[in-house]
Amino acid sequence: MHNSLRGAAAIVGAGVYGLGETPGQSSVEIMARAALTALTDAGLKPSDVDGVISASPVYNMASMTAAEYLGIRPRFTESTMLGGSSFVFHVTPAALALQAGLCDVVLICYGSNQRSATGRLISNSLPDPYEAPYNPRMPITAYALAASRHMFQYGTTREQMAEVAVAARGWAALNPEAFVREPLTVKDVLGSRMISDPLSKLDCCLVTDGGGALVLTRADRAKDLPKAPVYVLGHATEHWHRSIAQLPDLTITAASESGRRAFEMAGLVPTDIDVAQLYDAFTINTILFLEDLGYCKKGEGGEFVADGRIAPGGSLPVNTNGGGLSCCHPGMYGIFPVIEAVRQVRGEAGERQIDDVDVALAHGNGGVLSSQSTLVLGSGATI
Amino acid sequence: MNIEAPGNGPEKEFFDFLSQGEFMIQRSKSSGEYIFYPRVALPKSGIEDLEWVRASGKGVVYATSVVRQRPEKGGVYNVALIDLEEGPRLMSRVEGCAPESVVIGMDVVAEIDLSGSNPVLIFKPV
């Protein structure tokens, strides 16, 4: 049951810019610098691009802004906003447009100066009338409610959630681009200020600036470009709710469906994955996604992450860039798990490189555990 | 149910009922299914036969958090998801006990706080 989308497109360029703090630069400028970094990586220039995809809470007709800034008149354009998962989702319309011949070179790009501009997550949604009277600290409280439920149903502990943050920091220590690299212990996480029980400050992602970009072409053209193509093997997105009260079971996310369908398209199973990049806005995310993507049974994620299993040296390397918890989180983190997956498949990850990576997974999350996008990438050996 | 819906959209109607001290939810006339939040039609089927009925007010805490803000931003307070006896789930706040003492599975009952400029549906331990 071969899916014609499997391997039809490849990522041929990836780049980041300004992870951490970049005072004095606008979000659009950061986006443009990241885009140019990715294009240079692909051996291309803006005039080679005829498909532009972007999303942002601050430049909200994002692909128009990106295309204008870079001087592109795209034949294919996409600005779907699914929150943080957007850029993982964007691989689907990119692959479809490339396969259909609507365009030949797609640029997916993002930039944010939220840390320097405001010091916090920027949102321009109108308040939800059924939530606003209770002043939930969004999005943290939504994830805290899910964590409360996971602890109640499965006995998951704060120590187990802290292990996720400690593992991410272990990887960040190996990544010169990561914003926070100092050693971290479970005790540090448990002792940090409680924000929305049971999530403390160190259960929450960073608030940083930063940008990232990807360049995709059809597989045939990809071979002519300077870097080894990273093939798009499987991808799927699913969402079940927008407000957290509407998710039927707070311990089961739509990642259980996006993951199943992405693996199906790729013709692979979770154990085929050499390295996994999971959108870790909060420590509970990693536990939920390991379960929903099939790495362990529902409820066993807490035990799964104990004893350093996802940390450097563990049996399943997760969030090898340091994740949203320790590398960067400019508000919509989804492009960074894809970029790290690309680097791992290419063997470009320096000190944190995993040996012999042929298949890497990137998973995006958006809203309040709402939109879930799973992407499976592979080396030339997988085609 | 004799309460006349005073507004137009279901969102306005819900809050207008609340201002009058009434916690009303919608029920499908044909299927008997209750929903929250208020909508113009039943999800999935799209059937537009929703009527307002008075909620029993009984609920159970499904999930809970304690939000810890600085005093000027509201201090320390509870945010919870409540499963209503009728089935739907909603976000609310459990008052009348310490925010930390709200636990999953706790039986609660609805009250309408009319002390502020807008009515707020809250819950208290039974």
PDB file of all heavy atoms in Angstrom, chain A residues 129-130 133-135 145 148-149 152 195-197 246-250, chain B residues 11 15 36-38 62 64-66 68 77 79 89 91 93 104 121:
ATOM      1  N   PRO A 129     -15.079  33.482  25.779  1.00  0.00           N
ATOM      2  CA  PRO A 129     -16.037  33.987  26.776  1.00  0.00           C
ATOM      3  C   PRO A 129     -16.349  32.989  27.884  1.00  0.00           C
ATOM      4  O   PRO A 129     -16.771  33.398  28.971  1.00  0.00           O
ATOM      5  CB  PRO A 129     -17.294  34.278  25.950  1.00  0.00           C
ATOM      6  CG  PRO A 129     -17.153  33.478  24.705  1.00  0.00           C
ATOM      7  CD  PRO A 129     -15.676  33.365  24.445  1.00  0.00           C
ATOM      8  N   TYR A 130     -16.138  31.705  27.604  1.00  0.00           N
ATOM      9  CA  TYR A 130     -16.446  30.681  28.614  1.00  0.00           C
ATOM     10  C   TYR A 130     -15.235  30.330  29.471  1.00  0.00           C
ATOM     11  O   TYR A 130     -15.324  29.510  30.368  1.00  0.00           O
ATOM     12  CB  TYR A 130     -17.021  29.431  27.930  1.00  0.00           C
ATOM     13  CG  TYR A 130     -18.204  29.785  27.048  1.00  0.00           C
ATOM     14  CD1 TYR A 130     -18.082  29.830  25.661  1.00  0.00           C
ATOM     15  CD2 TYR A 130     -19.414  30.150  27.621  1.00  0.00           C
ATOM     16  CE1 TYR A 130     -19.154  30.192  24.861  1.00  0.00           C
ATOM     17  CE2 TYR A 130     -20.496  30.519  26.834  1.00  0.00           C
ATOM     18  CZ  TYR A 130     -20.355  30.544  25.443  1.00  0.00           C
ATOM     19  OH  TYR A 130     -21.423  30.923  24.667  1.00  0.00           O
ATOM     20  N   PRO A 133     -13.625  34.449  32.287  1.00  0.00           N
ATOM     21  CA  PRO A 133     -14.003  34.848  33.649  1.00  0.00           C
ATOM     22  C   PRO A 133     -13.188  34.159  34.737  1.00  0.00           C
ATOM     23  O   PRO A 133     -13.167  34.641  35.877  1.00  0.00           O
ATOM     24  CB  PRO A 133     -15.478  34.413  33.741  1.00  0.00           C
ATOM     25  CG  PRO A 133     -15.964  34.324  32.337  1.00  0.00           C
ATOM     26  CD  PRO A 133     -14.768  33.901  31.525  1.00  0.00           C
ATOM     27  N   TYR A 134     -12.514  33.055  34.416  1.00  0.00           N
ATOM     28  CA  TYR A 134     -11.789  32.292  35.433  1.00  0.00           C
ATOM     29  C   TYR A 134     -10.290  32.575  35.418  1.00  0.00           C
ATOM     30  O   TYR A 134      -9.535  31.968  36.178  1.00  0.00           O
ATOM     31  CB  TYR A 134     -12.077  30.795  35.236  1.00  0.00           C
ATOM     32  CG  TYR A 134     -13.568  30.575  35.146  1.00  0.00           C
ATOM     33  CD1 TYR A 134     -14.192  30.277  33.936  1.00  0.00           C
ATOM     34  CD2 TYR A 134     -14.370  30.788  36.264  1.00  0.00           C
ATOM     35  CE1 TYR A 134     -15.557  30.155  33.845  1.00  0.00           C
ATOM     36  CE2 TYR A 134     -15.748  30.670  36.189  1.00  0.00           C
ATOM     37  CZ  TYR A 134     -16.334  30.360  34.970  1.00  0.00           C
ATOM     38  OH  TYR A 134     -17.702  30.258  34.895  1.00  0.00           O
ATOM     39  N   ASN A 135      -9.864  33.462  34.527  1.00  0.00           N
ATOM     40  CA  ASN A 135      -8.455  33.863  34.438  1.00  0.00           C
ATOM     41  C   ASN A 135      -7.464  32.707  34.431  1.00  0.00           C
ATOM     42  O   ASN A 135      -6.492  32.722  35.191  1.00  0.00           O
ATOM     43  CB  ASN A 135      -8.092  34.824  35.583  1.00  0.00           C
ATOM     44  CG  ASN A 135      -8.827  36.128  35.464  1.00  0.00           C
ATOM     45  OD1 ASN A 135      -8.912  36.699  34.377  1.00  0.00           O
ATOM     46  ND2 ASN A 135      -9.397  36.586  36.571  1.00  0.00           N
ATOM     47  N   LEU A 145      -3.946  21.391  33.735  1.00  0.00           N
ATOM     48  CA  LEU A 145      -5.156  20.587  33.923  1.00  0.00           C
ATOM     49  C   LEU A 145      -4.945  19.180  33.352  1.00  0.00           C
ATOM     50  O   LEU A 145      -5.337  18.180  33.963  1.00  0.00           O
ATOM     51  CB  LEU A 145      -6.352  21.275  33.250  1.00  0.00           C
ATOM     52  CG  LEU A 145      -6.832  22.568  33.939  1.00  0.00           C
ATOM     53  CD1 LEU A 145      -7.763  23.354  33.023  1.00  0.00           C
ATOM     54  CD2 LEU A 145      -7.527  22.263  35.263  1.00  0.00           C
ATOM     55  N   SER A 148      -2.747  17.332  35.720  1.00  0.00           N
ATOM     56  CA  SER A 148      -3.471  16.921  36.935  1.00  0.00           C
ATOM     57  C   SER A 148      -4.219  15.622  36.671  1.00  0.00           C
ATOM     58  O   SER A 148      -4.290  14.731  37.523  1.00  0.00           O
ATOM     59  CB  SER A 148      -4.438  18.016  37.402  1.00  0.00           C
ATOM     60  OG  SER A 148      -5.684  18.001  36.696  1.00  0.00           O
ATOM     61  N   ARG A 149      -4.762  15.522  35.482  1.00  0.00           N
ATOM     62  CA  ARG A 149      -5.540  14.354  35.100  1.00  0.00           C
ATOM     63  C   ARG A 149      -4.622  13.133  34.905  1.00  0.00           C
ATOM     64  O   ARG A 149      -4.953  12.019  35.308  1.00  0.00           O
ATOM     65  CB  ARG A 149      -6.281  14.702  33.811  1.00  0.00           C
ATOM     66  CG  ARG A 149      -7.454  13.903  33.479  1.00  0.00           C
ATOM     67  CD  ARG A 149      -8.573  13.996  34.478  1.00  0.00           C
ATOM     68  NE  ARG A 149      -9.225  12.693  34.503  1.00  0.00           N
ATOM     69  CZ  ARG A 149     -10.228  12.355  35.304  1.00  0.00           C
ATOM     70  NH1 ARG A 149     -10.717  13.231  36.168  1.00  0.00           N
ATOM     71  NH2 ARG A 149     -10.732  11.157  35.266  1.00  0.00           N
ATOM     72  N   PHE A 152      -3.640  11.898  38.230  1.00  0.00           N
ATOM     73  CA  PHE A 152      -4.770  11.245  38.909  1.00  0.00           C
ATOM     74  C   PHE A 152      -5.025   9.858  38.326  1.00  0.00           C
ATOM     75  O   PHE A 152      -5.207   8.884  39.060  1.00  0.00           O
ATOM     76  CB  PHE A 152      -6.022  12.121  38.757  1.00  0.00           C
ATOM     77  CG  PHE A 152      -7.286  11.493  39.282  1.00  0.00           C
ATOM     78  CD1 PHE A 152      -7.569  11.514  40.643  1.00  0.00           C
ATOM     79  CD2 PHE A 152      -8.182  10.877  38.420  1.00  0.00           C
ATOM     80  CE1 PHE A 152      -8.732  10.932  41.135  1.00  0.00           C
ATOM     81  CE2 PHE A 152      -9.345  10.286  38.907  1.00  0.00           C
ATOM     82  CZ  PHE A 152      -9.620  10.325  40.270  1.00  0.00           C
ATOM     83  N   ILE A 195       3.717  27.737  39.023  1.00  0.00           N
ATOM     84  CA  ILE A 195       3.009  28.721  38.196  1.00  0.00           C
ATOM     85  C   ILE A 195       1.525  28.384  38.162  1.00  0.00           C
ATOM     86  O   ILE A 195       0.657  29.214  38.432  1.00  0.00           O
ATOM     87  CB  ILE A 195       3.544  28.715  36.735  1.00  0.00           C
ATOM     88  CG1 ILE A 195       5.057  28.895  36.722  1.00  0.00           C
ATOM     89  CG2 ILE A 195       2.823  29.769  35.895  1.00  0.00           C
ATOM     90  CD1 ILE A 195       5.559  30.276  36.917  1.00  0.00           C
ATOM     91  N   SER A 196       1.207  27.148  37.763  1.00  0.00           N
ATOM     92  CA  SER A 196      -0.172  26.664  37.722  1.00  0.00           C
ATOM     93  C   SER A 196      -0.059  25.182  38.070  1.00  0.00           C
ATOM     94  O   SER A 196       0.380  24.392  37.245  1.00  0.00           O
ATOM     95  CB  SER A 196      -0.762  26.904  36.321  1.00  0.00           C
ATOM     96  OG  SER A 196      -2.151  26.652  36.279  1.00  0.00           O
ATOM     97  N   ASP A 197      -0.408  24.838  39.292  1.00  0.00           N
ATOM     98  CA  ASP A 197      -0.178  23.470  39.803  1.00  0.00           C
ATOM     99  C   ASP A 197      -0.713  22.430  38.814  1.00  0.00           C
ATOM    100  O   ASP A 197      -1.838  22.609  38.341  1.00  0.00           O
ATOM    101  CB  ASP A 197      -0.911  23.249  41.133  1.00  0.00           C
ATOM    102  CG  ASP A 197      -0.441  24.172  42.246  1.00  0.00           C
ATOM    103  OD1 ASP A 197       0.092  25.239  41.932  1.00  0.00           O
ATOM    104  OD2 ASP A 197      -0.656  23.830  43.418  1.00  0.00           O
ATOM    105  N   GLN A 246     -13.002  21.110  25.898  1.00  0.00           N
ATOM    106  CA  GLN A 246     -13.654  20.324  24.849  1.00  0.00           C
ATOM    107  C   GLN A 246     -12.863  19.077  24.436  1.00  0.00           C
ATOM    108  O   GLN A 246     -13.283  18.350  23.532  1.00  0.00           O
ATOM    109  CB  GLN A 246     -13.910  21.208  23.616  1.00  0.00           C
ATOM    110  CG  GLN A 246     -14.797  22.399  23.906  1.00  0.00           C
ATOM    111  CD  GLN A 246     -16.216  21.983  24.285  1.00  0.00           C
ATOM    112  OE1 GLN A 246     -16.780  21.064  23.712  1.00  0.00           O
ATOM    113  NE2 GLN A 246     -16.794  22.665  25.273  1.00  0.00           N
ATOM    114  N   LEU A 247     -11.718  18.836  25.056  1.00  0.00           N
ATOM    115  CA  LEU A 247     -10.961  17.604  24.766  1.00  0.00           C
ATOM    116  C   LEU A 247     -11.554  16.488  25.625  1.00  0.00           C
ATOM    117  O   LEU A 247     -11.524  16.577  26.850  1.00  0.00           O
ATOM    118  CB  LEU A 247      -9.471  17.812  25.090  1.00  0.00           C
ATOM    119  CG  LEU A 247      -8.550  16.587  24.950  1.00  0.00           C
ATOM    120  CD1 LEU A 247      -8.584  16.001  23.548  1.00  0.00           C
ATOM    121  CD2 LEU A 247      -7.119  16.960  25.331  1.00  0.00           C
ATOM    122  N   PRO A 248     -12.126  15.451  24.997  1.00  0.00           N
ATOM    123  CA  PRO A 248     -12.881  14.454  25.780  1.00  0.00           C
ATOM    124  C   PRO A 248     -12.076  13.827  26.929  1.00  0.00           C
ATOM    125  O   PRO A 248     -12.572  13.721  28.037  1.00  0.00           O
ATOM    126  CB  PRO A 248     -13.272  13.409  24.733  1.00  0.00           C
ATOM    127  CG  PRO A 248     -13.321  14.168  23.445  1.00  0.00           C
ATOM    128  CD  PRO A 248     -12.221  15.193  23.547  1.00  0.00           C
ATOM    129  N   ASP A 249     -10.849  13.385  26.643  1.00  0.00           N
ATOM    130  CA  ASP A 249     -10.010  12.779  27.683  1.00  0.00           C
ATOM    131  C   ASP A 249      -8.699  13.556  27.680  1.00  0.00           C
ATOM    132  O   ASP A 249      -7.950  13.510  26.697  1.00  0.00           O
ATOM    133  CB  ASP A 249      -9.781  11.291  27.355  1.00  0.00           C
ATOM    134  CG  ASP A 249      -8.921  10.583  28.397  1.00  0.00           C
ATOM    135  OD1 ASP A 249      -8.130  11.256  29.100  1.00  0.00           O
ATOM    136  OD2 ASP A 249      -9.021   9.353  28.501  1.00  0.00           O
ATOM    137  N   LEU A 250      -8.420  14.261  28.756  1.00  0.00           N
ATOM    138  CA  LEU A 250      -7.252  15.149  28.782  1.00  0.00           C
ATOM    139  C   LEU A 250      -5.924  14.402  28.741  1.00  0.00           C
ATOM    140  O   LEU A 250      -4.865  15.025  28.659  1.00  0.00           O
ATOM    141  CB  LEU A 250      -7.288  16.076  30.019  1.00  0.00           C
ATOM    142  CG  LEU A 250      -7.783  17.493  29.711  1.00  0.00           C
ATOM    143  CD1 LEU A 250      -9.189  17.486  29.203  1.00  0.00           C
ATOM    144  CD2 LEU A 250      -7.628  18.411  30.918  1.00  0.00           C
TER     145      LEU A 250
ATOM    146  N   GLU B  11     -24.671  32.605  22.645  1.00  0.00           N
ATOM    147  CA  GLU B  11     -23.689  33.095  23.616  1.00  0.00           C
ATOM    148  C   GLU B  11     -24.286  34.221  24.451  1.00  0.00           C
ATOM    149  O   GLU B  11     -24.202  34.223  25.682  1.00  0.00           O
ATOM    150  CB  GLU B  11     -22.436  33.581  22.880  1.00  0.00           C
ATOM    151  CG  GLU B  11     -21.363  34.132  23.806  1.00  0.00           C
ATOM    152  CD  GLU B  11     -20.148  34.662  23.040  1.00  0.00           C
ATOM    153  OE1 GLU B  11     -19.750  34.037  22.039  1.00  0.00           O
ATOM    154  OE2 GLU B  11     -19.612  35.702  23.433  1.00  0.00           O
ATOM    155  N   PHE B  15     -25.389  34.259  28.672  1.00  0.00           N
ATOM    156  CA  PHE B  15     -24.944  35.233  29.678  1.00  0.00           C
ATOM    157  C   PHE B  15     -26.109  36.098  30.175  1.00  0.00           C
ATOM    158  O   PHE B  15     -26.100  36.546  31.318  1.00  0.00           O
ATOM    159  CB  PHE B  15     -23.777  36.068  29.134  1.00  0.00           C
ATOM    160  CG  PHE B  15     -22.496  35.276  29.100  1.00  0.00           C
ATOM    161  CD1 PHE B  15     -21.975  34.813  27.896  1.00  0.00           C
ATOM    162  CD2 PHE B  15     -21.823  34.969  30.268  1.00  0.00           C
ATOM    163  CE1 PHE B  15     -20.806  34.060  27.856  1.00  0.00           C
ATOM    164  CE2 PHE B  15     -20.649  34.210  30.244  1.00  0.00           C
ATOM    165  CZ  PHE B  15     -20.143  33.755  29.028  1.00  0.00           C
ATOM    166  N   PHE B  36     -22.567  21.920  26.005  1.00  0.00           N
ATOM    167  CA  PHE B  36     -21.967  23.149  26.492  1.00  0.00           C
ATOM    168  C   PHE B  36     -20.604  23.238  25.831  1.00  0.00           C
ATOM    169  O   PHE B  36     -19.905  22.227  25.741  1.00  0.00           O
ATOM    170  CB  PHE B  36     -21.797  23.150  28.022  1.00  0.00           C
ATOM    171  CG  PHE B  36     -21.477  24.535  28.542  1.00  0.00           C
ATOM    172  CD1 PHE B  36     -22.496  25.383  28.931  1.00  0.00           C
ATOM    173  CD2 PHE B  36     -20.169  24.993  28.577  1.00  0.00           C
ATOM    174  CE1 PHE B  36     -22.220  26.669  29.372  1.00  0.00           C
ATOM    175  CE2 PHE B  36     -19.897  26.283  29.005  1.00  0.00           C
ATOM    176  CZ  PHE B  36     -20.918  27.112  29.403  1.00  0.00           C
ATOM    177  N   TYR B  37     -20.208  24.366  25.314  1.00  0.00           N
ATOM    178  CA  TYR B  37     -20.791  25.686  25.355  1.00  0.00           C
ATOM    179  C   TYR B  37     -21.992  25.832  24.412  1.00  0.00           C
ATOM    180  O   TYR B  37     -22.163  24.997  23.524  1.00  0.00           O
ATOM    181  CB  TYR B  37     -19.713  26.745  24.971  1.00  0.00           C
ATOM    182  CG  TYR B  37     -18.988  26.428  23.700  1.00  0.00           C
ATOM    183  CD1 TYR B  37     -19.432  26.928  22.469  1.00  0.00           C
ATOM    184  CD2 TYR B  37     -17.862  25.586  23.690  1.00  0.00           C
ATOM    185  CE1 TYR B  37     -18.781  26.630  21.299  1.00  0.00           C
ATOM    186  CE2 TYR B  37     -17.221  25.280  22.503  1.00  0.00           C
ATOM    187  CZ  TYR B  37     -17.681  25.811  21.334  1.00  0.00           C
ATOM    188  OH  TYR B  37     -17.039  25.490  20.175  1.00  0.00           O
ATOM    189  N   PRO B  38     -22.772  26.893  24.615  1.00  0.00           N
ATOM    190  CA  PRO B  38     -23.955  27.087  23.783  1.00  0.00           C
ATOM    191  C   PRO B  38     -23.597  27.308  22.312  1.00  0.00           C
ATOM    192  O   PRO B  38     -22.648  28.016  21.997  1.00  0.00           O
ATOM    193  CB  PRO B  38     -24.589  28.354  24.374  1.00  0.00           C
ATOM    194  CG  PRO B  38     -24.019  28.481  25.747  1.00  0.00           C
ATOM    195  CD  PRO B  38     -22.637  27.917  25.665  1.00  0.00           C
ATOM    196  N   TYR B  62     -13.355  17.404  37.222  1.00  0.00           N
ATOM    197  CA  TYR B  62     -12.662  16.495  36.298  1.00  0.00           C
ATOM    198  C   TYR B  62     -11.147  16.734  36.307  1.00  0.00           C
ATOM    199  O   TYR B  62     -10.356  15.793  36.205  1.00  0.00           O
ATOM    200  CB  TYR B  62     -13.206  16.676  34.878  1.00  0.00           C
ATOM    201  CG  TYR B  62     -12.437  15.896  33.834  1.00  0.00           C
ATOM    202  CD1 TYR B  62     -12.590  14.522  33.708  1.00  0.00           C
ATOM    203  CD2 TYR B  62     -11.528  16.539  32.986  1.00  0.00           C
ATOM    204  CE1 TYR B  62     -11.877  13.796  32.777  1.00  0.00           C
ATOM    205  CE2 TYR B  62     -10.801  15.819  32.049  1.00  0.00           C
ATOM    206  CZ  TYR B  62     -10.972  14.455  31.945  1.00  0.00           C
ATOM    207  OH  TYR B  62     -10.243  13.746  31.018  1.00  0.00           O
ATOM    208  N   THR B  64      -8.062  19.890  37.831  1.00  0.00           N
ATOM    209  CA  THR B  64      -7.945  21.096  38.655  1.00  0.00           C
ATOM    210  C   THR B  64      -6.522  21.633  38.664  1.00  0.00           C
ATOM    211  O   THR B  64      -5.562  20.865  38.543  1.00  0.00           O
ATOM    212  CB  THR B  64      -8.422  20.811  40.100  1.00  0.00           C
ATOM    213  OG1 THR B  64      -8.364  22.020  40.872  1.00  0.00           O
ATOM    214  CG2 THR B  64      -7.587  19.735  40.780  1.00  0.00           C
ATOM    215  N   SER B  65      -6.421  22.958  38.784  1.00  0.00           N
ATOM    216  CA  SER B  65      -5.114  23.609  38.916  1.00  0.00           C
ATOM    217  C   SER B  65      -5.244  24.778  39.873  1.00  0.00           C
ATOM    218  O   SER B  65      -6.349  25.309  40.062  1.00  0.00           O
ATOM    219  CB  SER B  65      -4.626  24.104  37.546  1.00  0.00           C
ATOM    220  OG  SER B  65      -3.352  24.715  37.657  1.00  0.00           O
ATOM    221  N   VAL B  66      -4.128  25.145  40.480  1.00  0.00           N
ATOM    222  CA  VAL B  66      -4.079  26.353  41.302  1.00  0.00           C
ATOM    223  C   VAL B  66      -3.204  27.352  40.564  1.00  0.00           C
ATOM    224  O   VAL B  66      -2.030  27.075  40.312  1.00  0.00           O
ATOM    225  CB  VAL B  66      -3.486  26.068  42.696  1.00  0.00           C
ATOM    226  CG1 VAL B  66      -3.462  27.342  43.524  1.00  0.00           C
ATOM    227  CG2 VAL B  66      -4.270  24.963  43.395  1.00  0.00           C
ATOM    228  N   ARG B  68      -1.122  30.632  40.370  1.00  0.00           N
ATOM    229  CA  ARG B  68      -0.427  31.432  41.394  1.00  0.00           C
ATOM    230  C   ARG B  68       0.115  32.702  40.753  1.00  0.00           C
ATOM    231  O   ARG B  68       1.168  32.710  40.143  1.00  0.00           O
ATOM    232  CB  ARG B  68       0.692  30.598  42.029  1.00  0.00           C
ATOM    233  CG  ARG B  68       0.130  29.368  42.733  1.00  0.00           C
ATOM    234  CD  ARG B  68       1.201  28.410  43.204  1.00  0.00           C
ATOM    235  NE  ARG B  68       0.594  27.183  43.712  1.00  0.00           N
ATOM    236  CZ  ARG B  68       0.135  27.023  44.955  1.00  0.00           C
ATOM    237  NH1 ARG B  68       0.235  28.008  45.827  1.00  0.00           N
ATOM    238  NH2 ARG B  68      -0.409  25.881  45.320  1.00  0.00           N
ATOM    239  N   TYR B  77      -5.620  31.321  43.015  1.00  0.00           N
ATOM    240  CA  TYR B  77      -7.016  30.924  42.847  1.00  0.00           C
ATOM    241  C   TYR B  77      -7.105  29.606  42.076  1.00  0.00           C
ATOM    242  O   TYR B  77      -6.146  29.191  41.427  1.00  0.00           O
ATOM    243  CB  TYR B  77      -7.821  32.026  42.141  1.00  0.00           C
ATOM    244  CG  TYR B  77      -7.238  32.502  40.827  1.00  0.00           C
ATOM    245  CD1 TYR B  77      -7.553  31.879  39.631  1.00  0.00           C
ATOM    246  CD2 TYR B  77      -6.331  33.584  40.794  1.00  0.00           C
ATOM    247  CE1 TYR B  77      -7.008  32.313  38.434  1.00  0.00           C
ATOM    248  CE2 TYR B  77      -5.776  34.020  39.595  1.00  0.00           C
ATOM    249  CZ  TYR B  77      -6.121  33.387  38.425  1.00  0.00           C
ATOM    250  OH  TYR B  77      -5.574  33.810  37.242  1.00  0.00           O
ATOM    251  N   VAL B  79      -8.626  27.010  39.181  1.00  0.00           N
ATOM    252  CA  VAL B  79      -9.271  26.851  37.872  1.00  0.00           C
ATOM    253  C   VAL B  79      -9.530  25.356  37.716  1.00  0.00           C
ATOM    254  O   VAL B  79      -8.623  24.547  37.955  1.00  0.00           O
ATOM    255  CB  VAL B  79      -8.399  27.360  36.709  1.00  0.00           C
ATOM    256  CG1 VAL B  79      -9.036  27.019  35.360  1.00  0.00           C
ATOM    257  CG2 VAL B  79      -8.184  28.865  36.813  1.00  0.00           C
ATOM    258  N   ARG B  89     -18.875  19.231  29.757  1.00  0.00           N
ATOM    259  CA  ARG B  89     -17.800  19.702  30.644  1.00  0.00           C
ATOM    260  C   ARG B  89     -17.580  21.177  30.398  1.00  0.00           C
ATOM    261  O   ARG B  89     -17.687  21.660  29.265  1.00  0.00           O
ATOM    262  CB  ARG B  89     -16.529  18.923  30.350  1.00  0.00           C
ATOM    263  CG  ARG B  89     -15.349  19.287  31.255  1.00  0.00           C
ATOM    264  CD  ARG B  89     -14.125  18.460  30.883  1.00  0.00           C
ATOM    265  NE  ARG B  89     -14.419  17.049  31.006  1.00  0.00           N
ATOM    266  CZ  ARG B  89     -13.814  16.092  30.315  1.00  0.00           C
ATOM    267  NH1 ARG B  89     -12.854  16.399  29.440  1.00  0.00           N
ATOM    268  NH2 ARG B  89     -14.137  14.828  30.470  1.00  0.00           N
ATOM    269  N   MET B  91     -15.210  24.889  31.889  1.00  0.00           N
ATOM    270  CA  MET B  91     -14.207  25.469  32.781  1.00  0.00           C
ATOM    271  C   MET B  91     -14.894  26.331  33.813  1.00  0.00           C
ATOM    272  O   MET B  91     -15.862  27.035  33.497  1.00  0.00           O
ATOM    273  CB  MET B  91     -13.191  26.306  32.001  1.00  0.00           C
ATOM    274  CG  MET B  91     -12.113  26.925  32.903  1.00  0.00           C
ATOM    275  SD  MET B  91     -10.856  27.828  31.965  1.00  0.00           S
ATOM    276  CE  MET B  91      -9.944  26.462  31.239  1.00  0.00           C
ATOM    277  N   ARG B  93     -14.440  27.783  38.347  1.00  0.00           N
ATOM    278  CA  ARG B  93     -13.590  27.949  39.536  1.00  0.00           C
ATOM    279  C   ARG B  93     -14.367  27.387  40.707  1.00  0.00           C
ATOM    280  O   ARG B  93     -15.571  27.637  40.830  1.00  0.00           O
ATOM    281  CB  ARG B  93     -13.312  29.438  39.752  1.00  0.00           C
ATOM    282  CG  ARG B  93     -12.509  29.771  40.986  1.00  0.00           C
ATOM    283  CD  ARG B  93     -12.070  31.221  40.979  1.00  0.00           C
ATOM    284  NE  ARG B  93     -13.178  32.161  41.051  1.00  0.00           N
ATOM    285  CZ  ARG B  93     -13.458  33.074  40.124  1.00  0.00           C
ATOM    286  NH1 ARG B  93     -12.726  33.190  39.039  1.00  0.00           N
ATOM    287  NH2 ARG B  93     -14.489  33.892  40.261  1.00  0.00           N
ATOM    288  N   ILE B 104      -9.728  16.181  42.172  1.00  0.00           N
ATOM    289  CA  ILE B 104     -10.475  15.486  41.124  1.00  0.00           C
ATOM    290  C   ILE B 104     -11.447  14.501  41.778  1.00  0.00           C
ATOM    291  O   ILE B 104     -11.090  13.806  42.723  1.00  0.00           O
ATOM    292  CB  ILE B 104      -9.488  14.758  40.180  1.00  0.00           C
ATOM    293  CG1 ILE B 104      -8.694  15.801  39.378  1.00  0.00           C
ATOM    294  CG2 ILE B 104     -10.224  13.792  39.241  1.00  0.00           C
ATOM    295  CD1 ILE B 104      -7.568  15.233  38.543  1.00  0.00           C
ATOM    296  N   LEU B 121     -20.358  32.101  36.573  1.00  0.00           N
ATOM    297  CA  LEU B 121     -20.774  30.783  37.053  1.00  0.00           C
ATOM    298  C   LEU B 121     -19.606  30.155  37.804  1.00  0.00           C
ATOM    299  O   LEU B 121     -18.530  29.975  37.234  1.00  0.00           O
ATOM    300  CB  LEU B 121     -21.160  29.905  35.856  1.00  0.00           C
ATOM    301  CG  LEU B 121     -21.597  28.478  36.178  1.00  0.00           C
ATOM    302  CD1 LEU B 121     -22.950  28.462  36.866  1.00  0.00           C
ATOM    303  CD2 LEU B 121     -21.618  27.648  34.898  1.00  0.00           C
TER     304      LEU B 121
END
